[in-house]
Amino acid sequence: MGSKSNLPQTASSSPSPPSSHLQTPCNIPSIPSSNTFKILQWNCNGITKKKPFLEAFLSKTINPPDIICLQETHLKSTQQLKIRGYTTHRIDGPIATNGRATDGIATLLVNSLQHHTEELTQNPPIMSSIIQTKSGTKIDILNTYINPKQDAAT
């Protein structure tokens, strides 16, 4: 039984150019020349085995996302998450009684994007990445995950 990756489409703050304007794929993302950027959000339910799918998606995408927000990364603090061309910031979830990592979030920002990232809360995990556009506008990107089995008020 084969498995398909259900990677989401990227969202853009400006309309996509007609397909006649598309060029060959770029393996290293860069900030667009305008003040727009693309954000990819994905509840990956474990990134370790799905990382090759994400890397393939990024390498084949003509205009890769500038920001990637991942939820349910299921990473232990000893595991790395490196994606070529991106800076990774993450908050790992708790370790279950069976020794497996649970929950967790990661925000990946293209290396050329000027930003400041900080952990706002641990429970639920909320990560704030403040980015600055070429025009100097600051935008706050929040990445969070609340386990549906967890009481949101705790």
Side-chain angles (χ1 to χ4, degrees):
M1 178 182 207
S3 69
K4 276 190 168 180
S5 173
N6 293 324
L7 287 176
Q9 296 296 315
T10 57
S12 176
S13 59
S14 66
S16 298
S19 58
S20 62
H21 293 259
L22 299 179
Q23 303 198 3
T24 57
C26 173
N27 289 331
I28 300 178
S30 62
I31 192 72
S33 59
S34 67
N35 283 320
T36 64
F37 52 89
K38 291 185 178 186
I39 301 172
L40 180 137
Q41 181 276 324
W42 183 26
N43 183 326
C44 56
N45 193 17
I47 190 64
T48 304
K49 291 182 180 177
K50 296 173 186 169
K51 183 181 170 197
F53 293 108
L54 178 59
E55 291 172 323
F57 171 81
L58 294 172
S59 70
K60 293 176 183 175
T61 302
I62 293 170
N63 294 307
D66 303 295
I67 302 165
I68 302 171
C69 295
L70 302 174
Q71 298 82 38
E72 286 195 88
T73 53
H74 298 184
L75 292 171
K76 294 180 180 180
S77 61
T78 56
Q79 295 174 291
Q80 292 186 1
L81 177 59
K82 290 186 178 181
I83 302 289
R84 184 173 176 231
Y86 290 88
T87 301
T88 302
H89 302 277
R90 59 188 243 208
I91 301 173
D92 296 329
I95 304 298
T97 54
N98 64 4
R100 290 186 164 189
T102 63
D103 303 345
I105 59 174
T107 304
L108 292 79
L109 298 113
V110 69
N111 288 337
S112 60
L113 192 58
Q114 195 174 24
H115 71 278
H116 169 74
T117 299
E118 62 184 81
E119 184 178 312
L120 296 181
T121 64
Q122 189 64 253
N123 191 18
I126 299 175
M127 181 180 299
S128 169
S129 297
I130 299 172
I131 63 168
Q132 187 166 341
T133 66
K134 289 187 180 272
S135 67
T137 303
K138 291 185 180 180
I139 300 171
D140 196 357
I141 304 293
L142 298 175
N143 186 9
T144 189
Y145 174 74
I146 299 174
N147 188 318
K149 296 176 185 172
Q150 176 183 343
D151 180 6
T154 58

